[in-house]
C-alpha cells in the first residue's frame, strides 16, 4: 500500500470516528506502515500443503459430561472465600453506591 500520508490518515480517522491529535500522527503513521509491511511479509509465506487451522486444540472437546456432583460442605466453601461473615460468604455491594458489577 505504501506510506500512510497525513491526508490518508485523516480520512481513516474520520471514517473510524477517531480523533488523532497532532502529537500522535507521526507515531501512528509509523505503526500503521509497520503493520502493513508485516502483513505483506506474511503474504509471501509458502503455504502449499498447509491445512487451515480451525481450532488450536485439534477441535476435540475434552470437557466432561455436565452432570451434578455432590455440593461442597459449607466449611470448605467458607475456607475458600476471601471474606466471610458468620456462616455466609461476604460479597461487595453491587447496587446503588456500591459500584458496578
Amino acid at each position: 500500500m505504501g506510506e500512510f500520508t497525513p491526508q490518508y490518515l485523516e480520512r481513516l480517522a474520520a471514517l473510524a470516528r477517531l480523533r488523532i491529535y497532532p502529537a500522535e500522527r507521526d507515531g501512528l503513521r509509523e505503526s500503521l506502515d509497520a503493520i502493513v509491511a508485516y502483513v505483506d511479509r506474511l503474504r509471501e509465506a509458502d503455504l502449499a500443503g498447509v491445512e487451515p487451522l480451525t481450532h488450536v486444540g485439534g477441535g476435540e472437546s475434552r470437557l466432561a459430561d455436565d452432570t451434578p456432583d455432590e455440593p461442597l460442605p459449607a466449611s470448605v466453601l467458607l475456607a475458600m472465600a476471601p471474606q466471610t461473615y458468620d456462616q455466609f460468604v461476604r460479597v461487595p455491594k453491587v447496587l446503588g453506591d456500591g459500584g458496578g458489577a
Side-chain angles (χ1 to χ4, degrees):
M1 160 167 184
E3 185 177 313
F4 282 86
T5 64
Q7 296 81 14
Y8 190 77
L9 188 60
E10 289 298 321
R11 178 73 176 137
L12 282 177
L15 290 171
R17 297 182 183 192
L18 296 173
R19 180 182 303 150
I20 300 174
Y21 296 101
E24 300 172 318
R25 285 191 182 114
D26 289 339
L28 183 57
R29 284 179 43 213
E30 290 173 11
S31 295
L32 288 171
D33 282 335
I35 291 168
V36 170
Y38 185 71
V39 170
D40 286 341
R41 211 170 114 207
L42 289 175
R43 286 185 180 140
E44 296 171 5
D46 180 15
L47 301 177
V50 177
E51 292 292 321
L53 180 65
T54 57
H55 291 84
V56 176
E60 294 181 27
S61 176
R62 304 245 186 245
L63 299 175
D65 290 335
D66 191 12
T67 56
D69 204 351
E70 291 297 315
L72 289 175
S75 61
V76 174
L77 177 64
L78 291 171
M80 293 188 317
Q83 291 185 347
T84 60
Y85 177 76
D86 291 334
Q87 75 271 15
F88 303 103
V89 174
R90 181 178 286 221
V91 295
K93 183 178 178 182
V94 294
L95 299 174
D97 294 319

